């Protein structure tokens, strides 16, 4: 018994007749160690068969690289196996495994094996951006949208259905026209608000002006005489007079106070005279 990821065995038909189980002999490990999984055609010293690379045609193949530590006289460095997984959404079940057409046994030198595994399990799951969208006619506010899945991916539920549809609400007026109408209505409302504001402001100014005119017309047209700030002739003599006072100013000496009024400067000065 051989424990390995990839192994080869020779099938010997049973001699007991139809319905008997065939015999498997000479089991050989072709890859007991997984060294890498990549979308590149080369990993270290291991390479994918040239036939598989040329037939990819832009598909994102996934390559599994295996090695076996079991050495033989023909394979001094052990055996290697490369399995290329390719998406094929039309295949059911586990798909089909095929060797290169130039090497029907999967190997041309007996040491390096190559297999191509076509299966829908190697396909990526389709996203909404991968679908081709076809919109139906808008009828009674409802629109049917058809999603057609492209090649190279499968639906999220794993089904092989190539298209599905969805019903969404719709409107007869395009979205761009709706935005344009909304912008026009908003601009019109703004203009109406500005017109009403300036009309209201003008009414207030007009009311204040009329009130001012009425108040000015109700008063007497003659203005009261202005009061004079000039000094009369008899008042000038009063301010030019000089008064002497014999009253003593404390114990420091005798002083006389003269008050002099100047009608031009409109100010007073006090002069103290010391008696000899």
């Amino acid at each position: 018994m051989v424990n390995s990821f990839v192994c080869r065995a020779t099938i010997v038909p049973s001699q007991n007749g139809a319905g008997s189980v065939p015999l498997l002999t000479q089991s050989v490990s072709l890859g007991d160690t997984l060294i890498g999984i990549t979308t590149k055609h080369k990993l270290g010293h291991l390479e994918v068969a040239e036939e598989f690379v040329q037939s990819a045609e832009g598909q994102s193949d996934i390559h599994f690289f295996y090695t076996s530590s079991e050495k033989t006289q023909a394979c001094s460095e052990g055996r290697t196996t490369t399995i290329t997984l390719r998406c094929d959404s039309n295949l059911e079940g586990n798909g089909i495994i095929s060797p290169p057409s130039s090497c029907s046994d999967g190997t041309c030198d007996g040491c390096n094996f190559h297999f191509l595994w076509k299966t829908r399990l190697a396909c990526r799951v389709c996203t909404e951006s991968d679908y081709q969208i076809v919109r139906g006619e808008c009828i009674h506010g409802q629109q049917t949208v058809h999603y057609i899945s492209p090649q190279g991916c499968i639906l999220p539920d794993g089904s092989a259905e190539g298209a599905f549809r969805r019903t969404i609400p719709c409107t007869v007026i395009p979205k761009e026209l709706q935005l344009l109408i909304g912008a026009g209505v908003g601009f019109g409302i703004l203009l109406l608000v500005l017109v009403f504001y300036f009309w209201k402001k003008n009414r207030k100014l007009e009311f204040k002006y009329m009130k001012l005119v009425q108040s000015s017309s109700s008063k007497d047209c003659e203005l009261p005489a202005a009061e004079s700030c000039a000094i009369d002739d008899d008042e000038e003599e009063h301010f030019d007079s000089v008064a002497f006072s014999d009253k003593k100013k404390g114990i420091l000496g005798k002083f006389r106070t003269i008050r002099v009024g100047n009608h031009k400067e409109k100010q007073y000065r006090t002069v103290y005279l010391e008696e000899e």
Side-chain angles (χ1 to χ4, degrees):
M1 182 176 179
V2 176
N3 293 325
S4 178
F5 291 106
V6 183
C7 61
R8 184 184 66 177
T10 302
I11 300 177
V12 179
S14 177
Q15 302 296 329
N16 297 329
S20 59
V21 179
L23 180 63
L24 301 178
T25 62
Q26 299 179 355
S27 297
V28 178
S29 174
L30 302 181
D32 50 20
T33 303
L34 176 64
I35 62 173
I37 303 174
T38 179
T39 57
K40 297 181 180 180
H41 302 151
K42 185 176 181 180
L43 181 64
H45 65 282
L46 303 180
E47 295 185 11
V48 180
E50 188 66 23
E51 178 183 341
F52 297 160
V53 176
Q54 294 178 357
S55 62
E57 297 179 357
Q59 297 188 22
S60 299
D61 293 343
I62 304 175
H63 308 289
F64 289 74
F65 295 92
Y66 298 91
T67 59
S68 176
S69 58
E70 183 179 351
K71 299 180 181 180
T72 62
Q73 184 177 0
C75 303
S76 59
E77 297 182 358
R79 296 183 176 90
T80 64
T81 301
T82 302
I83 300 178
T84 300
L85 270 68
R86 180 170 298 172
C87 170
D88 192 340
S89 58
N90 298 322
L91 295 177
E92 298 293 339
N94 294 328
I96 300 174
I97 299 177
S98 59
S101 58
S102 57
C103 305
S104 58
D105 293 335
T107 178
C108 296
D109 55 5
C111 298
N112 300 311
F113 293 82
H114 303 276
F115 300 98
L116 176 62
W117 188 357
K118 293 183 179 181
T119 174
R120 62 191 314 273
L121 300 177
C123 301
R124 63 182 180 87
V125 178
C126 298
T127 61
E128 189 172 353
S129 60
D130 295 326
Y131 292 98
Q132 180 182 357
I133 301 177
V134 179
R135 300 182 181 275
E137 186 179 359
C138 183
I139 302 176
H140 303 297
Q142 297 293 326
Q143 184 181 36
T144 302
V145 181
H146 300 270
Y147 294 86
I148 302 175
S149 61
Q151 297 294 329
C153 64
I154 58 176
L155 299 181
D157 57 357
S159 62
E161 184 180 358
F164 66 95
R165 60 184 181 179
R166 182 184 301 170
T167 302
I168 60 175
C170 64
T171 178
V172 179
I173 303 176
K175 187 176 181 180
E176 293 78 6
L177 184 58
Q178 292 180 4
L179 294 176
L180 185 61
I181 293 175
V185 172
F187 185 71
I189 294 175
L190 179 61
L191 288 179
L192 290 177
V193 171
L194 291 176
V195 169
F196 178 78
Y197 170 75
F198 287 112
W199 175 79
K200 194 74 174 178
K201 188 175 182 180
N202 187 39
R203 286 290 302 272
K204 290 182 179 180
L205 292 176
E206 184 179 357
F207 175 76
K208 291 181 179 180
Y209 175 75
M210 295 300 296
K211 188 175 181 181
L212 180 61
V213 171
Q214 292 177 1
S215 61
S216 62
S217 61
S218 61
K219 293 182 179 180
D220 189 8
C221 296
E222 295 182 359
L223 297 177
E227 295 182 357
S228 176
C229 295
I231 301 176
D232 297 336
D233 295 337
D234 56 350
E235 293 179 351
E236 293 181 0
E237 296 179 357
H238 173 72
F239 286 105
D240 289 340
S241 61
V242 178
F244 296 92
S245 177
D246 294 336
K247 189 177 181 180
K248 296 181 180 180
K249 301 292 182 178
I251 60 175
L252 297 178
K254 298 178 180 180
F255 297 91
R256 291 181 179 179
T257 304
I258 300 176
R259 294 183 179 178
V260 180
N262 191 342
H263 66 279
K264 294 182 179 180
E265 298 180 358
K266 297 181 182 180
Q267 61 183 359
Y268 300 93
R269 291 186 301 172
T270 303
V271 179
Y272 298 96
L273 301 178
E274 184 178 358
E275 184 178 4
E276 295 181 358

